[in-house]
């Protein structure tokens, strides 16, 4: 099903009054630290860098022994909160983290996962925008980097704006993945996949990886042992794979996507569909393409059917989506072992 032209689906039933259901930025960091306190041998809170406004971009590194070198283990990264208004994409990775660490030593599957892997969970890629969305503007999407006209040297008459869409700002191996060949930076009428207008909510920024947040995640993705990547977004109820993956190359994504979809259903969630990102709308500069070009089978989610889920939907997402995340993690680990059967 093709759903083009907008940066969000047409129908919404948002509940911006539900902001009290979601942790503020400080509470997110505190929750990660509480996991470290409860599981000091399995968890480490790491700052990947600072946001534009100086907030730490926190990650939780999880493995069976964080005090030992785990760089030889396959690493899988789970991110959320890239787009500020997508509140449940912050709580879902936190729920995944609890699932992983709380089961260690008690549940055989959880223990085995941490023995075999290094997991990085980044619940809030965009801390400035997330905090602003929760407290000032529920529909805010971008980061909070101001773009004054004098910086827009290639954009005559450019309008000042605030914020860059972080998932249009990643630098891939091919410049064409950041900006289409016939998309000129000085002309907003030919924008493709992202906007060159700083006032647009899909503004791509002044250049590839211009933002400190995308730089921090790019450094994480460049770690040699990263073998998997999932980026959580909302909303549409889709399991996504990179739009540049076609033909036979798409089959592994479709196969694991079907397993992830089944896990969501078994956890009580609705039907999801497995599609390339281009079936939603064209994008450039997104993290899935960046990671796919590194040889990492990157996938994404569009979770739920609203930016601001009420309590019932939030709780369902916090249960169902981590179940699918674990299916993906197990699939990555199985395919790292040449003696293990390939996941169906």
């Amino acid at each position: 099903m093709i759903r083009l032209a907008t940066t969000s689906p047409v129908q919404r039933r948002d509940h911006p009054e539900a902001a009290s259901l979601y942790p503020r930025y400080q509470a997110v960091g505190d929750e990660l630290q509480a996991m470290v306190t409860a599981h000091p041998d399995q968890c480490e809170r790491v700052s990947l860098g600072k946001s534009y406004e100086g907030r730490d971009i926190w990650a939780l590194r999880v493995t069976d022994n964080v005090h030992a070198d785990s760089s030889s283990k396959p690493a899988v990264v789970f991110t959320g909160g890239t787009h500020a208004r997508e509140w449940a994409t912050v709580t879902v990775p936190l729920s995944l983290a609890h699932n992983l660490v709380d089961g260690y030593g008690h549940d055989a599957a959880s223990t085995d996962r941490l023995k075999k892997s290094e997991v990085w969970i980044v619940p809030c890629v965009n801390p400035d925008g997330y905090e602003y969305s929760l407290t000032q503007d529920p529909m805010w999407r971008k980061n909070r980097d101001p773009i004054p006209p004098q910086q827009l040297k290639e954009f005559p008459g450019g309008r000042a704006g605030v914020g860059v869409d972080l998932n249009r700002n990643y630098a891939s191996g091919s410049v064409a993945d950041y900006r289409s060949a016939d998309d000129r930076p000085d002309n907003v009428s030919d924008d493709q996949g992202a906007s060159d207008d700083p006032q647009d909510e899909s503004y791509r920024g002044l250049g590839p990886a211009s933002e400190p947040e995308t730089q921090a995640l790019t450094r994480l993705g460049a770690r040699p042992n990263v073998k998997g990547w999932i980026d959580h977004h909302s909303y549409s109820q889709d399991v996504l794979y990179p739009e540049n993956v076609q033909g036979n190359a798409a089959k592994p994504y479709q196969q694991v996507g079907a397993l992830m979809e089944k896990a969501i259903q078994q956890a009580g969630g609705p039907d999801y569909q497995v599609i390339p990102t281009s079936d939603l709308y064209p994008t450039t500069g997104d993290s899935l393409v960046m990671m796919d070009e590194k040889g990492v089978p990157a996938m994404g989610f569009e979770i739920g059917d609203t930016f601001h889920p009420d309590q019932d939907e939030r709780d369902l997402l916090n249960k169902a989506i981590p179940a699918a995340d674990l299916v993906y993690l197990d699939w990555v680990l199985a395919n790292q072992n040449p003696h293990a059967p390939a996941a169906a």
Side-chain angles (χ1 to χ4, degrees), residues 49-80:
K50 299 284 188 179
S51 67
Y52 172 79
E53 292 181 342
R55 293 180 174 90
D56 284 295
I57 303 168
W58 291 119
L60 192 73
R61 185 173 74 92
V62 182
T63 189
D64 65 327
N65 183 0
V66 296
H67 309 295
D69 181 7
S70 58
S71 61
S72 62
K73 296 182 180 181
V76 180
V77 176
F78 298 90
T79 69

Side-chain angles (χ1 to χ4, degrees), residues 30-291:
D30 290 347
E31 186 167 349
L32 296 179
Q33 187 56 49
M35 288 189 223
V36 174
T37 301
H39 306 277
D41 293 329
Q42 286 76 51
C43 298
E44 177 187 22
R45 191 179 73 161
V46 179
S47 176
L48 301 179
K50 299 284 188 179
S51 67
Y52 172 79
E53 292 181 342
R55 293 180 174 90
D56 284 295
I57 303 168
W58 291 119
L60 192 73
R61 185 173 74 92
V62 182
T63 189
D64 65 327
N65 183 0
V66 296
H67 309 295
D69 181 7
S70 58
S71 61
S72 62
K73 296 182 180 181
V76 180
V77 176
F78 298 90
T79 69
T82 295
H83 290 142
R85 64 193 178 196
E86 299 172 6
W87 297 344
T89 69
V90 174
T91 60
V92 162
L94 289 173
S95 297
L96 172 64
H98 279 292
N99 189 305
L100 286 167
V101 301
D102 293 345
Y104 182 83
H106 309 287
D107 173 72
S110 297
T111 302
D112 189 57
R113 288 181 183 112
L114 296 196
K115 287 183 178 296
K116 293 179 178 177
S117 70
E118 177 184 73
V119 178
W120 290 81
I121 296 173
V122 191
C124 194
V125 172
N126 181 8
D128 302 344
Y130 177 67
E131 186 75 1
Y132 186 79
S133 177
L134 282 176
T135 61
Q136 302 293 325
D137 180 356
M139 291 304 291
W140 189 259
R141 173 181 168 94
K142 302 182 285 184
N143 75 351
R144 295 294 299 166
D145 185 0
I147 311 295
Q150 58 266 31
Q151 290 190 27
L152 303 171
K153 297 177 182 178
E154 295 182 310
F155 187 43
R159 301 187 298 169
V162 175
V164 171
D165 182 342
L166 298 178
N167 208 39
R168 304 295 182 272
N169 187 246
Y170 283 98
S172 299
S174 169
V175 174
D177 292 327
Y178 174 75
R179 178 188 296 281
S180 300
D182 50 356
D183 181 344
R184 291 174 53 85
D186 59 352
N187 181 6
V188 296
S189 64
D190 67 355
D191 286 346
Q192 301 177 38
S195 175
D196 286 303
D197 183 350
Q199 293 189 10
D200 194 285
E201 65 177 13
S202 62
Y203 175 56
R204 61 166 50 95
L206 294 170
S210 61
E211 303 309 297
E213 297 89 350
T214 51
Q215 292 167 15
L217 270 294
T218 299
R219 289 192 296 270
L220 177 60
R223 294 173 69 91
N225 65 326
V226 171
K227 305 299 181 183
W229 180 283
I230 283 191
D231 190 15
H232 297 87
H233 289 272
S234 65
Y235 59 92
S236 282
Q237 298 178 349
D238 296 316
V239 181
L240 304 172
Y241 58 90
E243 64 179 31
N244 61 318
V245 178
Q246 299 176 355
N248 288 335
K251 289 183 178 180
Y253 287 103
Q254 294 164 349
Q255 290 170 349
V256 68
L259 297 174
M260 295 161 71
E261 179 187 18
K262 182 178 180 181
I264 293 171
Q265 294 170 345
Q266 290 176 336
D271 292 344
Y272 274 56
Q273 59 178 346
V274 183
I275 58 174
T277 58
S278 54
D279 276 14
L280 283 174
Y281 35 74
T283 61
T284 54
D286 70 88
S287 68
L288 300 192
V289 172
M290 176 187 73
M291 295 310 298

